[in-house]
Amino acid sequence: RAGGRELLVLAGEGEERERALWVLPLPRGKPWRVGSLLCHTASWSPDGKEIAYGTGNDVYVTTDNGVTSHQLQAFTTVPLALRWSPDGKRILIQLRNPSNWDSTFWEIELKGRDSFTAKALMPLNVRKGAYDGVSAVLDNAGDAFVTADRADFLLHRESLPWQAGFLLTRIRSGLDAVSTLAVDTSAGRLYGLK
C-alpha cells in the first residue's frame, strides 16, 4: 500500500486458482483478510484507497476492503496482472489465454465511481509472443510500461496506436528467462526475477 507499510498477499491451500486475499502489515503486525474476496491477482491503487482484483475472467474494484465490489470488465481470457497508473485513473491489465498462453494488454480508464472505458492496447489479430510479466507504468504521465519477452525487457508506449512505434526499445537482460518485473521509479531501476 502507499507508504510501503502493508502488502497484499494471496493465501490458499493446494492448487486452487482463486485464493483468499489478505493484508500483511510490515514490518510486523497481525494479518487481516480482505472481506471474503477470492481472487488470483490484486493491486492497490497508488493512494491505497482501492483494490483492483481479478477473479475468473473478470476485473473488480473494492473501496471498502472487500465489503462491496463492483465489476469493471468481463474478459474472455484471464486477467493475469493488474497495475495502476501513478495518478490512479487507469489500470493496465495483462490477459492470458490459458489454451495457448498468448498474452495481450488492455487498459481500463476510470472516469468516476461507475464510469469507465476499456480498450485493447494490443489487437488480438497481432501475434503477441510469450510475454511473461508486466511492470507498473514507468513515467508520471502513466503512458509507458515494460513487459518481459523470454529474456528481454520491452519498453512500450501505450499512447501510440498499434504500430512499430508501440515498442520503443528492447533491452537485453542477460538472463535466460524473466518471469516477474518490478519498477522502482524513484531510483530509476527495473528489476526482473529469473
Side-chain angles (χ1 to χ4, degrees):
R1 191 188 301 229
R5 299 286 183 204
E6 296 175 315
L7 292 177
L8 285 176
V9 178
L10 294 172
E13 297 175 20
E15 296 183 25
E16 67 272 6
R17 182 170 148 194
E18 309 299 338
R19 297 173 178 254
L21 185 62
W22 289 75
V23 174
L24 178 63
L26 298 176
R28 61 185 154 269
K30 184 176 180 180
W32 51 274
R33 178 110 187 250
V34 180
S36 59
L37 296 184
L38 295 175
C39 60
H40 56 268
T41 185
S43 180
W44 257 310
S45 62
D47 64 7
K49 295 179 180 177
E50 298 176 275
I51 299 172
Y53 65 96
T55 184
N57 290 351
D58 305 334
V59 174
Y60 292 84
V61 69
T62 180
T63 57
D64 54 10
N65 292 319
V67 176
T68 60
S69 296
H70 68 276
Q71 183 184 50
L72 293 179
Q73 185 70 31
F75 294 100
T76 57
T77 55
V78 178
L80 190 65
L82 307 171
R83 300 293 184 259
W84 291 80
S85 63
D87 63 7
K89 294 181 180 177
R90 291 178 290 149
I91 302 170
L92 178 67
I93 303 162
Q94 179 188 12
L95 297 170
R96 177 158 288 164
N97 183 338
S99 65
N100 61 12
W101 289 90
D102 276 352
S103 289
T104 189
F105 295 91
W106 280 66
E107 175 187 87
I108 295 177
E109 183 179 359
L110 306 170
K111 299 177 179 181
R113 172 76 177 146
D114 295 316
S115 177
F116 54 88
T117 57
K119 68 178 179 180
L121 299 179
M122 291 179 154
L124 294 176
N125 61 347
V126 176
R127 180 76 184 145
K128 278 82 62 184
Y131 296 114
D132 295 320
V134 59
S135 77
V137 290
L138 290 175
D139 57 7
N140 290 335
D143 63 357
F145 65 96
V146 173
T147 61
D149 181 4
R150 293 180 186 86
D152 297 335
F153 301 123
L154 304 159
L155 177 62
H156 305 273
R157 171 120 2 234
E158 63 182 79
S159 60
L160 298 174
W162 180 262
Q163 58 185 348
F166 179 78
L167 175 61
L168 295 177
T169 191
R170 176 181 292 270
I171 303 165
R172 300 288 177 197
S173 71
L175 303 172
D176 55 354
V178 177
S179 64
T180 303
L181 297 171
V183 174
D184 180 349
T185 54
S186 62
R189 293 181 186 244
L190 172 67
Y191 299 94
L193 295 178
K194 183 175 174 181

